[in-house]
Amino acid sequence: MSGASDSDTANWDDQGYKWEVTKGADVDGNTVITSATLPLAPGFNADTLTLPDTAVTIVTEGESTIETLSPSSGPQKTELSFSGPGPLTITEQVNIAGGATIIPLP
């Protein structure tokens, strides 16, 4: 599965997930994404989920599985949190540092 677009809240990925983004302005007045939420429906299953470079919350509504969480290219502001009543299984790795730094899950 490819990563969802972080530039347009109307774009759905071919696997049916959608980022809900909050936009604001940077110091130069340019529109930027300030936070993103990804609600996961029960039964969600993905090989790779690409995180936008912002504060991200993944909300599980039911049991969900993701193989790998990774940042967009050259992350500077990625923050990750989890919420919701459903269990989330990450089978391989979570990488929010970018570059060659990978934190494997046990």
Side-chain angles (χ1 to χ4, degrees), residues 45-57:
N45 187 357
D47 292 335
T48 301
L49 196 142
T50 303
L51 303 169
D53 189 21
T54 191
V56 173
T57 302

Side-chain angles (χ1 to χ4, degrees), residues 51 68-72 75 78 80 93-103:
L51 303 169
T68 301
L69 284 173
S70 61
S72 58
T78 302
L80 180 59
Q93 65 184 10
V94 176
N95 174 13
I96 61 170
T101 305
I102 297 175
I103 303 168

Side-chain angles (χ1 to χ4, degrees), residues 23-34:
K23 295 181 181 181
D26 65 12
V27 294
D28 297 321
N30 299 313
T31 300
V32 295
I33 295 173
T34 57

